[in-house]
Amino acid sequence: AQSVTQPDIHITVSEGASLELRCNYSYGATPYLFWYVQSPGQGLQLLLKYFSGDTLVQGIKGFEAEFKRSQSSFNLRKPSVHWSDAAEYFCAVGPPGGFKTIFGAGTRLFVKA
Amino acid sequence: DAGVTQSPTHLIKTRGQQVTLRCSPKSGHDTVSWYQQALGQGPQFIFQYYEEEERQRGNFPDRFSGHQFPNYSSELNVNALLLGDSALYLCASSLDGSGRRNYGYTFGSGTRLTVV
């Protein structure tokens, strides 16, 4: 079965500290992997995507993610968190061709001063 | 460059009523997907439209239907509304990858539907 698991419902980090959000997936074929961010009351914005090549992919807003095939993981990282990064983050998986994309339940990030 | 536009932004309906939500995709995009996001949950795939046809459907009842127009815009219709249909409905547009690429989605801000 195809699924995305984000083990952490919410995470709190101090401003300036590093961040890692976890994502594990189950997918039959080689998928595209995505991270999206959602601010309160808004739609989702694409942060980055991965399909092949270098397993460390850079995205917008200073985020990066690392693909580990052996662990079926695609964790999101940021070296130094800003208060404006407080939002909900969704990991997602989809096939080539742009068909149905499956989202995880999300991780809510809180940033404390 | 206009992104994805959804209307209305908020809507309150009574159980049993019908509702139509609208979406204009990002310029250059030809595929529209609809998602339902319940409070505190991740988006759930309803269906996807490409070339004016429903190309793929998620696990939603037939009360949920849609349409795509020649200009790529789309509508989501929900009949016989239930309290459980209360959610944020998200429209996502994309460029079809012809079975080879996946460029990811551009989302609208959503329509908040409340069923009372």
Side-chain angles (χ1 to χ4, degrees):
Chain A
Q2 301 169 350
S3 65
V4 177
T5 302
Q6 295 180 247
D8 304 304
I9 297 173
H10 55 80
I11 284 181
T12 301
V13 299
S14 297
E15 191 169 17
S18 64
L19 169 70
E20 182 168 26
L21 302 182
R22 296 182 292 163
C23 172
N24 293 96
Y25 68 92
S26 174
Y27 204 81
T30 302
Y32 276 78
L33 296 161
F34 305 89
W35 276 98
Y36 288 84
V37 60
Q38 184 178 34
S39 297
Q42 298 298 311
L44 283 70
Q45 181 184 20
L46 179 64
L47 286 175
L48 47 79
K49 70 176 185 288
Y50 173 80
F51 178 65
S52 63
D54 191 344
T55 56
L56 186 64
V57 59
Q58 302 297 318
I60 62 172
K61 305 186 179 189
F63 285 92
E64 64 180 26
E66 184 174 16
F67 170 65
K68 293 185 177 180
R69 184 184 302 276
S70 61
Q71 299 177 19
S72 296
S73 69
F74 189 56
N75 294 349
L76 182 71
R77 302 197 295 244
K78 187 169 186 178
S80 177
V81 169
H82 187 262
W83 65 266
S84 60
D85 293 324
E88 185 107 28
Y89 291 81
F90 293 94
C91 182
V93 59
F99 286 83
K100 169 184 173 181
T101 295
I102 299 168
F103 288 81
T107 297
R108 169 74 65 182
L109 173 64
F110 297 94
V111 181
K112 61 183 181 180
Chain B
D1 180 22
V4 178
T5 304
Q6 291 188 243
S7 63
T9 56
H10 295 82
L11 204 52
I12 300 176
K13 289 287 189 178
T14 304
R15 277 181 298 175
Q17 286 188 316
Q18 178 266 342
V19 68
T20 297
L21 310 181
R22 295 177 175 82
C23 172
S24 293
K26 180 179 178 179
S27 177
H29 285 183
D30 56 9
T31 304
V32 173
S33 303
W34 286 92
Y35 283 81
Q36 180 195 67
Q37 186 179 22
L39 205 58
Q41 302 295 318
Q44 299 295 314
F45 179 79
I46 302 175
F47 42 54
Q48 183 181 85
Y49 277 84
Y50 173 68
E51 293 188 338
E52 302 180 48
E53 292 191 358
E54 184 183 290
R55 177 161 74 172
Q56 197 174 14
R57 189 178 183 91
N59 189 26
F60 279 79
D62 292 344
R63 298 186 298 109
F64 290 77
S65 64
H67 191 77
Q68 186 180 35
F69 300 94
N71 66 352
Y72 306 116
S73 66
S74 178
E75 290 182 347
L76 164 65
N77 301 291
V78 187
N79 294 322
L81 284 167
L82 304 174
L83 295 179
D85 295 332
S86 296
L88 181 67
Y89 288 84
L90 294 165
C91 173
S93 75
S94 56
L95 182 62
D96 177 65
S98 300
R100 297 186 299 273
R101 303 290 299 273
N102 188 334
Y103 301 98
Y105 290 147
T106 299
F107 279 88
S109 296
T111 294
R112 173 70 63 186
L113 173 65
T114 303
V115 182
V116 297

